[in-house]
Amino acid sequence: MMLFSLIVNETKKIVRSRHSGASLFGQIFIGFLIVYLLSSAIVLGAMLNAILYKFTPGKEFDTFCVILLYYFLIDIPLRYWFQELPTLSVKPYLIQNVKKSQLINFLNLRSLLSLFNLIPLVLFIPFMVGSVLEKFGASVFIAFLVCLFFLMLANHFMIIYLKRKSIINTKWLFGFVLVIASIFLCTANNIFSISAISVYFFPQLINNSWLALIPVLFFLWVFLINRSLLRANFYLDIDANSKASSNLSLKWTDSFGELISNELKLIFRNKRPRNTILMSFIFLLYGFMIYDKELFDERSPRLIIIVMAYMITGLSSLNYMQFLFSWQTAHIEQLMISKHGLTNYVKSKLSLVRILNTFPFIISLFYGIIDWRILPLHIALFAFNIGLILPLGVLINVYNTKGIDISKSANFNYQGVGLNSFLTTLIPLLLLMGIYGIVMPFFGFWSAVVAIGIVGFIPLFLQNWWINQIAERLKKQKYSIIAGFREK
């Protein structure tokens, strides 16, 4: 009965919200997207047997066993970035006469309403009915079905557990990224084979159906530790806000260092800025898809190489800079009249985006192992970004008057997106392609790379001018910014 009451109250909350009109439009869009993805999965599931027969005729079942484990491996990072944590909506009940176990059950049941939990079922069950049930009988089919279902549930609750632990302590987040990246790198370099594990385990179900208990036991373990964590930290977001990044302090850099320290804490404690930064860092791995030994071959599309290298080295700062002042919508009034002054505030913003650009750049230098010529390319683009693009981006964002709610997820969230956000991304690409287009036809590729680096390096000597210009414009715009942020 209490569970039904919680569901009814959550429905009323959505309908009665003063933002229900705007959220309804977003929900309709997401609904169409979900229907499209689910329909595509259904069609692909119905055609899976024919697709596998085309590529591996006569070995459809073996190929299915290979891709099954790969699917759940890829499912883990996708869930981490896109699957939501339904925690905030139950906070009002914590002061009511409601059992904590009922609220925990509600959270766990509500979290199951996810597209990620439907896709594997509609994708693989049709194949299993046509190939496993007909060839090996009902017992083997049930064993495969149990494995599929409980691997899906294990992934679901494992990601919920990892995301909650990451909110409490960011070391879990970096550990998760490191483990996932290591698995994919080891698999790509044939250090160990996921397909070999998959091919060994799943065919064993034909003669040993009891092996299906392994995913069941794994699910039970993940579910219990997730439930235990939730019970022990039921005020999870509150505790996270008090613990996460508590050791971040940059006061030694004077007044603007304190502002940077506070904003770093804001990033780690709130969903949208944290997800924005993390998704940008994940993009660093894209280099493994485009960089190879023939990268600088004459037939390679040189302009695309420069643009992709720029995105790899600078996407984290560009994404964060799209909402540079909007991240602090909730307390923008205090910042505009604080003791630190607008000049230090601008200096802190510019320094922060440079920090967010520097870390990915340093990591990207490891791509020099593939080809040493990647190093000068990344160095030139780094200079172009921190010298010219970042100050220009801060200046453009002075005219952004759209506030955002940073506690909400970044996934399918278009709040605060406007012309300034578009220009922050478009102008750097246009400048980059413009310099390349002017220099490349006359002097060649590497001359164009040097020109891009010089164009970025020269403005580094004009930083005080940049800061003063931005501060002056911010002083004129601050009342418009405050008024606009209040209307979020």
Side-chain angles (χ1 to χ4, degrees):
M1 186 65 184
M2 179 55 66
L3 182 61
F4 178 75
S5 298
L6 289 170
I7 295 172
V8 171
N9 290 341
E10 285 296 297
T11 305
K12 289 179 178 179
K13 175 186 171 182
I14 296 172
V15 173
R16 294 175 179 177
S17 171
R18 68 186 184 92
H19 298 295
S20 59
S23 63
L24 180 61
F25 177 79
Q27 292 297 326
I28 291 173
F29 172 76
I30 293 173
F32 277 118
L33 184 61
I34 290 174
V35 170
Y36 170 75
L37 292 174
L38 198 56
S39 301
S40 300
I42 292 172
V43 173
L44 183 60
M47 299 174 60
L48 186 59
N49 189 57
I51 294 172
L52 296 181
Y53 177 79
K54 180 179 180 181
F55 289 99
T56 55
K59 298 182 179 180
E60 297 90 343
F61 176 75
D62 294 335
T63 307
F64 170 74
C65 290
V66 171
I67 66 174
L68 200 56
L69 198 56
Y70 269 113
Y71 173 85
F72 286 107
L73 178 62
I74 296 172
D75 182 57
I76 291 173
L78 289 177
R79 281 181 182 269
Y80 192 92
W81 304 125
F82 294 107
Q83 185 170 295
E84 295 292 335
L85 276 178
T87 55
L88 295 175
S89 57
V90 300
K91 281 186 177 180
Y93 299 102
L94 297 176
I95 58 174
Q96 304 297 325
N97 185 23
V98 180
K99 292 182 179 179
K100 185 179 289 187
S101 60
Q102 292 175 324
L103 293 175
I104 292 174
N105 290 335
F106 170 69
L107 285 176
N108 287 331
L109 286 174
R110 184 185 174 190
S111 70
L112 291 174
L113 298 176
S114 171
L115 179 65
F116 288 102
N117 295 336
L118 289 175
I119 287 180
L121 301 180
V122 301
L123 186 60
F124 296 125
I125 287 179
F127 177 87
M128 289 163 55
V129 170
S131 296
V132 179
L133 181 60
E134 291 184 2
K135 292 181 180 179
F136 304 107
S139 61
V140 177
F141 171 77
I142 292 173
F144 268 85
L145 188 61
V146 168
C147 283
L148 177 68
F149 186 73
F150 283 97
L151 281 173
M152 177 266 293
L153 290 179
N155 269 13
H156 175 82
F157 286 105
M158 179 174 62
I159 291 306
I160 290 178
Y161 177 80
L162 288 173
K163 292 186 79 167
R164 284 174 176 151
K165 292 291 286 187
S166 299
I167 292 172
I168 297 174
N169 191 330
T170 53
K171 292 179 181 178
W172 280 80
L173 168 64
F174 294 112
F176 170 77
V177 173
L178 181 62
V179 169
I180 292 297
S182 299
I183 291 174
F184 280 104
L185 286 175
C186 291
T187 304
N189 290 281
N190 296 320
I191 297 176
F192 63 81
S193 175
I194 298 294
S195 60
I197 299 173
S198 190
V199 166
Y200 175 79
F201 176 75
F202 289 107
Q204 292 291 323
L205 295 174
I206 298 174
N207 299 316
N208 302 283
S209 298
W210 61 269
L211 289 174
L213 291 175
I214 295 177
V216 176
L217 294 175
F218 179 55
F219 156 73
L220 289 174
W221 175 69
V222 172
F223 179 80
L224 291 175
I225 63 171
N226 178 68
R227 185 181 177 85
S228 176
L229 176 66
L230 192 55
R231 181 179 287 276
N233 301 275
F234 205 66
Y235 299 94
L236 185 60
D237 288 352
I238 297 175
D239 289 343
N241 288 347
S242 63
K243 296 177 184 177
S245 308
S246 58
N247 59 340
L248 290 174
S249 179
L250 299 173
K251 292 184 179 180
W252 53 270
T253 55
D254 202 8
S255 182
F256 80 95
E258 185 178 348
L259 291 168
I260 296 175
S261 175
N262 291 335
E263 191 157 356
L264 286 172
K265 293 175 184 178
L266 176 146
I267 292 172
F268 286 112
R269 293 174 179 177
N270 294 278
K271 288 183 181 179
R272 190 165 179 183
R274 185 174 64 244
N275 288 355
T276 299
I277 295 299
L278 291 177
M279 288 297 292
S280 304
F281 270 82
I282 290 298
F283 194 81
L284 279 168
L285 300 175
Y286 195 77
F288 288 106
M289 299 176 61
I290 62 172
Y291 289 161
D292 54 34
K293 292 295 184 180
E294 300 179 354
L295 179 65
F296 296 100
D297 189 88
E298 290 296 331
R299 295 168 294 178
S300 301
R302 298 299 182 88
L303 179 58
I304 295 178
I305 291 172
I306 286 183
V307 171
M308 293 309 303
Y310 176 69
M311 300 300 287
I312 289 171
T313 57
L315 188 64
S316 56
S317 56
L318 282 178
N319 279 351
Y320 189 81
M321 198 163 55
Q322 287 183 1
F323 311 105
L324 190 61
F325 298 103
S326 301
W327 296 122
Q328 296 169 312
T329 296
H331 51 277
I332 193 66
E333 296 95 336
Q334 293 89 331
L335 288 170
M336 290 297 179
I337 60 173
S338 72
K339 63 180 181 179
H340 302 292
L342 292 180
T343 300
N344 279 325
Y345 182 52
V346 170
K347 191 185 297 185
S348 72
K349 288 290 186 181
L350 186 55
S351 299
L352 179 61
V353 290
R354 281 178 172 158
I355 291 171
L356 295 177
N357 196 114
T358 302
F359 281 108
F361 162 70
I362 293 173
I363 297 172
S364 73
L365 293 180
F366 286 99
Y367 282 121
I369 298 173
I370 298 175
D371 193 317
W372 69 268
R373 289 173 291 183
I374 294 175
L375 297 179
L377 175 62
H378 280 196
I379 291 171
L381 293 171
F382 174 67
F384 175 75
N385 211 32
I386 65 167
L388 177 63
I389 298 305
L390 297 186
L392 186 60
V394 176
L395 181 61
I396 292 172
N397 272 275
V398 168
Y399 299 95
N400 182 18
T401 59
K402 293 187 176 183
I404 59 176
D405 183 353
I406 59 175
S407 66
K408 295 182 178 179
S409 174
N411 305 326
F412 306 109
N413 189 345
Y414 302 102
Q415 186 184 38
V417 177
L419 179 61
N420 294 86
S421 304
F422 180 69
L423 291 176
T424 302
T425 304
L426 179 63
I427 288 177
L429 293 177
L430 291 177
L431 289 174
L432 190 65
M433 291 186 288
I435 297 169
Y436 178 84
I438 292 172
V439 179
M440 169 64 182
F442 300 100
F443 302 102
F445 174 77
W446 287 109
S447 297
V449 171
V450 171
I452 290 169
I454 292 173
V455 169
F457 184 73
I458 292 175
L460 284 172
F461 297 99
L462 305 171
Q463 293 314 294
N464 290 332
W465 179 85
W466 277 111
I467 291 170
N468 292 332
Q469 291 296 314
I470 296 169
E472 285 295 322
R473 284 161 175 76
L474 185 60
K475 183 178 180 180
K476 296 177 181 178
Q477 276 288 112
K478 66 178 182 179
Y479 298 108
S480 299
I481 292 173
I482 292 172
F485 286 6
R486 285 173 179 168
E487 297 176 0
K488 70 178 186 299

